[in-house]
Amino acid sequence: MKLKDRVAIVTGAARGIGKAVALTLIREGAKVALVDVERERLEALKEDIEKKGGQAAAFVCDITKSSEVLAMVQQALANFGRIDILVNNAGIIRRGTIETVTEEDWDRVIAVNLKGTFNCSKAVVETMKKQRYGKIINVSSIAGKMGDITSAPGYGPSKAGIDALTKTLARQLASYGINVNGVAPHAIETEMSAQWSEERRKEIIASIPLGRLGKPEDVAEAVLFLASDQASFITGEILDVNGGAWMD
Ligand SMILES: NC(=O)c1ccc[n+]([C@@H]2O[C@H](COP(=O)([O-])OP(=O)(O)OC[C@H]3O[C@@H](n4cnc5c(N)ncnc54)[C@H](O)[C@@H]3O)[C@@H](O)[C@H]2O)c1
């Protein structure tokens, strides 16, 4: 087991990539605080994990609200005694163009994706510094690197902001034994991507050298690597998980 007795917080854990990340970390021996706004799915996942002998706690928390995030982190600490890993995965997308996007859509996407990542990172740093150990892994997107034609213009900038935040925190926290990295997925089969038309799916698959859509588990294994001590000399990296659709 790569993460035996490690404690992780995973945001957006109720479904999709976050759920796959939570289950992968559990498989590798971590105890996981599951964070989301969707209470029912969160509770169902916690029960499922516990039935299989894993340890999890469920926290209904809107990551855009720093007071809720602080309370969640305090409670996770009280439950598990330490916080080794934070996976900032929760995110939202809106479709549209610069003409159709509303100010509210822009604000919400930036608030969840970028400010939420900031709120959760800020809330765990003191603990990780004291431990002189921590792994922060941010789920970004290919859209932060190359832009995106179908998402409303807030999404790509929120992810580019996450990439810059990752590098900033990697520099600021390196001397405390904290690694900060990101993954940049593309075209992963989840409820977020289920909005694509059949035509758009075909177009996307045709643009991916490996010739298929990604699975949540493809992202989860990359997150696991960055969360493990196998990646201890890596920080400030944004790892592409995109089937070769973008290479940098
Ligand atoms: N699916 C893809 O193709 C793809 C590609 C690139 C990047 N990503 C990124 O991966 C991450 C996960 O995506 P997914 O496809 O699993 O999405 P998803 O919509 O299936 O799941 C996102 C989860 O985040 C939760 N969430 C939303 N707002 C929240 C908030 N304010 N506080 C707490 N939780 C909140 C949702 O309830 C949901 O459970 C996102 O950051 C997304 O931008 C996804």
Side-chain angles (χ1 to χ4, degrees):
M1 284 192 181
K2 294 194 175 97
L3 303 178
K4 193 160 169 16
D5 297 330
R6 294 283 178 211
V7 175
I9 295 175
V10 179
T11 70
R15 66 184 199 215
I17 293 170
K19 181 175 175 179
V21 168
L23 291 171
T24 301
L25 302 189
I26 290 277
R27 183 194 78 202
E28 295 297 327
K31 300 165 193 169
V32 180
L34 309 162
V35 177
D36 208 290
V37 285
E38 285 195 29
R39 181 182 296 278
E40 272 180 34
R41 290 192 198 210
L42 210 53
E43 294 291 347
L45 179 60
K46 176 181 179 294
E47 272 175 37
D48 191 36
I49 288 170
E50 287 176 343
K51 257 188 227 153
K52 292 173 186 150
Q55 280 191 63
F59 297 101
V60 176
C61 165
D62 179 344
I63 59 163
T64 66
K65 300 193 173 128
S66 58
S67 57
E68 288 188 24
V69 169
L70 275 174
M72 174 276 288
V73 168
Q74 287 313 315
Q75 194 54 50
L77 257 180
N79 277 30
F80 295 127
R82 51 188 292 125
I83 296 168
D84 300 296
I85 300 160
L86 167 67
V87 183
N88 282 309
N89 163 79
I92 59 169
I93 197 165
R94 298 282 187 266
R95 302 289 166 193
T97 64
I98 186 69
E99 289 96 348
T100 63
V101 68
T102 63
E103 185 180 348
E104 288 71 26
D105 280 344
W106 169 273
D107 285 347
R108 188 67 190 160
V109 168
I110 299 290
V112 176
N113 298 5
L114 185 53
K115 187 178 170 197
T117 299
F118 162 77
N119 282 341
C120 295
S121 303
K122 189 170 171 64
V124 300
V125 157
E126 191 188 333
T127 302
M128 288 184 174
K129 271 184 161 181
K130 273 192 205 143
Q131 296 169 174
R132 297 200 72 81
Y133 185 94
K135 310 275 184 190
I136 299 176
I137 298 126
N138 299 324
V139 180
S140 181
S141 168
I142 194 172
K145 296 189 179 193
M146 61 176 284
D148 177 27
I149 195 161
T150 59
S151 61
Y155 184 75
S158 75
K159 296 298 188 176
I162 286 174
D163 294 354
L165 180 63
T166 302
K167 291 171 188 174
T168 300
L169 297 188
R171 288 182 190 281
Q172 292 190 353
L173 300 175
S175 61
Y176 299 94
I178 302 171
N179 303 59
V180 187
N181 289 293
V183 291
H186 172 53
I188 310 298
E189 292 203 77
T190 67
E191 287 178 41
M192 183 180 273
S193 52
Q195 305 158 7
W196 298 327
S197 67
E198 200 44 44
E199 196 189 350
R200 179 78 186 129
R201 276 173 85 82
K202 282 187 186 146
E203 262 173 32
I204 290 174
I205 292 171
S207 71
I208 298 176
L210 288 177
R212 66 168 175 89
L213 297 178
K215 298 189 288 289
E217 292 72 22
D218 292 319
V219 184
E221 294 298 336
V223 170
L224 168 64
F225 170 63
L226 293 171
S228 74
D229 289 333
Q230 275 73 39
S232 61
F233 200 50
I234 300 176
T235 200
E237 173 65 18
I238 313 293
L239 179 59
D240 290 326
V241 186
N242 64 22
W246 172 261
M247 301 180 190
D248 62 5

